[in-house]
Amino acid sequence: MDRDRPVARQDLDPVAHEHGVHAPELGEVGAGMSQAPNALRALAGLGVEAEARAVGVPTYSASNLRRADGRYLRRAQPGDPTPLLAFHRADLHRVLLDAVPAGWVHTNAEVTDVREDGEGVTVVAGGTEYRADLVVGADGIHSTVRTRLWPDAEPPRYLWRTAWLGVAEVAGVPGDLSGSVTMGKGDLFLVHPVSRGRAYWALLTTSGAAGVRYDDEKAAALDRVGDWHDPVPDLIRATPDRAVIRTDIRELPPLSTYVRGRAVLLGDAAHAMSPDRGQGAGHTLEDAVVLAHALATEPALDVALARYDAERRPRDQATARGARADGARTASRAGQSAISALVRLVPAGLWRKGLAPDGNPTWRWQPPTLPVVPPAP
Ligand SMILES: Cc1cc2nc3c(=O)[nH]c(=O)nc-3n(C[C@H](O)[C@H](O)[C@H](O)COP(=O)(O)OP(=O)(O)OC[C@H]3O[C@@H](n4cnc5c(N)ncnc54)[C@H](O)[C@@H]3O)c2cc1C
């Protein structure tokens, strides 16, 4: 198969293709993800730690590092702890949704316009106009709130990489499925075990152009890593064709503020980052706790929003910079060789220390304590 062979150009609206514009309903979306200790603390801050842990599965992806031929650069030992939990996205969405009072979430309501006038915000959604004291734009990397109210913000930039993602039914798939990362030829294959005996996988590769589509995405993924060690090809084969997702990797150039009057950005709308530190959704959860805390404890709205901006923007943007640098390293053969050499040099004890819940500065984040709010009548 020709690499980067464009097909079906008439379908090449990468934004709509990858993200959908808005969800018609809540359902089985996306694939999987891992969450690190900082994100698990954010979930605790939101009051859903037990529920999240109940659907998360420990993953050893930071302990099992392999080469394409299957050799281990580093291997988890029996009894090793891991601070990372892997989730099927739909499971984590359900946990968050269940924590919201019934009737508060409306689907099938695309926001098409947002206007801010200092006193409040007017939002047009699903053809109806709404007036709000505050609007939180949590509408992803191609945020409508951001494009309307931050007209000078640079658009997301393509990082010359693309990813195939899937969730495989793993019964009968040979090989280690406890979580791993395999590097080869500038490509990276990640596996996490997720709920109900399934495995989430992601293949990140370099790519010449954004928006390239293949007639058969699954075959295109196999074309790159079909000769890699077990269980790499079998996981791709064990994924239903329609469940193989393709997404180009982009990041949002840093914003100078998350706040515009009575509108505020959160999550990928504010700081979409390269996935290489597995922190995009984790930082989204952190944003949510910090914003909720600022709004609950600060009587003046503008002061609360300024506090949120000052607390979140430096951290989000520093993690995004780190993720981009990590991605640039893992996306090159030379970078992968350097990582392999380094991994072999680090003594096992030091490596294990780095996998403690406070093993690196990003993971050490602690949430503020939200005041207890009486249940809505
Ligand atoms: C390959 C890959 C792997 C990743 N792995 C991890 C990981 O392991 N761990 C991690 O923490 N993060 C990971 N991430 C990052 C993570 O996916 C994002 O950071 C996270 O989904 C951002 O959440 P969000 O709610 O801000 O945006 P989104 O998840 O994009 O959600 C935005 C929502 O807004 C809706 N929307 C958009 N526009 C409109 C509109 N106009 N009107 C109404 N609704 C609208 C969309 O339908 C969607 O429901 C990964 C990303 C990629 C690409």
Side-chain angles (χ1 to χ4, degrees):
M1 173 175 292
D2 296 339
R3 297 251 159 99
D4 294 346
R5 176 162 55 90
V7 292
R9 277 283 175 191
Q10 68 276 20
D11 289 333
L12 284 187
D13 176 353
V15 172
H17 182 100
E18 288 169 20
H19 300 270
V21 173
H22 67 290
E25 57 187 25
L26 294 159
E28 288 270 317
V29 287
M33 60 167 76
S34 66
Q35 292 306 340
N38 55 303
L40 298 171
R41 281 185 217 109
L43 287 162
L46 293 170
V48 292
E49 183 181 14
E51 293 81 353
R53 285 189 181 277
V55 292
V57 181
T59 174
Y60 289 84
S61 58
S63 311
N64 288 320
L65 306 182
R66 305 182 73 172
R67 292 161 41 131
D69 63 8
R71 266 182 288 170
Y72 282 87
L73 296 164
R74 179 133 333 240
R75 186 170 197 172
Q77 299 305 312
D80 274 0
T82 175
L84 301 176
L85 282 186
F87 294 92
H88 193 293
R89 280 183 188 244
D91 290 339
L92 204 48
H93 283 181
R94 172 54 56 191
V95 164
L96 293 167
L97 190 63
D98 284 350
V100 176
W104 283 23
V105 175
H106 297 269
T107 54
N108 206 14
E110 181 183 359
V111 172
T112 49
D113 197 15
V114 187
R115 298 186 296 274
E116 197 278 336
D117 55 30
E119 301 291 309
V121 191
T122 303
V123 176
V124 180
T128 305
E129 204 165 282
Y130 299 89
R131 186 75 185 154
D133 294 332
L134 172 68
V135 161
V136 179
D139 48 349
I141 185 168
H142 301 291
S143 167
T144 300
V145 177
R146 189 187 66 242
T147 45
R148 295 284 159 170
L149 298 181
W150 277 252
D152 301 335
E154 283 180 63
R157 66 180 158 226
Y158 177 56
L159 294 177
W160 304 100
R161 293 166 84 204
T162 195
W164 284 271
L165 317 166
V167 175
E169 305 292 336
V170 296
V173 172
D176 181 5
L177 293 164
S178 65
S180 61
V181 169
T182 303
M183 292 183 298
K185 297 187 219 157
D187 291 350
L188 183 145
F189 192 90
L190 169 82
V191 184
H192 293 309
V194 293
S195 63
R196 289 193 267 135
R198 296 165 296 172
Y200 156 64
W201 57 266
L203 167 62
L204 278 88
T205 78
T206 49
S207 178
V212 173
R213 295 287 160 233
Y214 296 95
D215 292 329
D216 182 342
E217 294 287 356
K218 190 164 149 177
L222 277 169
D223 187 47
R224 296 197 80 117
V225 292
D227 58 351
W228 285 24
H229 67 80
D230 286 343
V232 171
D234 285 332
L235 279 175
I236 299 174
R237 283 191 202 102
T239 306
D241 291 2
R242 61 182 163 65
V244 175
I245 298 170
R246 178 80 178 294
T247 185
D248 289 328
I249 305 297
R250 293 186 174 82
E251 68 171 5
L252 188 69
L255 296 175
S256 57
T257 174
Y258 287 177
V259 181
R260 188 118 312 166
R262 298 293 194 103
V264 61
L265 298 174
L266 176 157
D268 275 15
H271 52 69
M273 60 183 78
S274 183
D276 297 273
R277 291 197 171 180
Q279 282 289 344
H283 277 47
T284 303
L285 293 166
E286 290 185 14
D287 291 346
V289 186
V290 172
L291 180 59
H293 184 260
L295 292 172
T297 56
E298 188 58 64
L301 187 57
D302 56 340
V303 180
L305 297 181
R307 210 173 93 191
Y308 162 75
D309 182 55
E311 208 171 310
R312 291 308 307 163
R313 208 158 34 79
R315 175 169 165 84
D316 292 333
Q317 293 178 351
T319 303
R321 274 196 303 279
R324 186 189 331 117
D326 287 357
R329 263 190 296 278
T330 47
S332 82
R333 287 170 192 247
Q336 290 192 345
S337 300
I339 294 168
S340 302
L342 194 70
V343 167
R344 283 202 210 89
L345 284 177
V346 178
L350 192 60
W351 190 270
R352 260 197 299 278
K353 230 171 141 188
L355 291 174
D358 61 355
N360 71 57
T362 307
W363 291 0
R364 272 176 220 144
W365 180 85
Q366 295 287 341
T369 306
L370 288 180
V372 178
V373 181

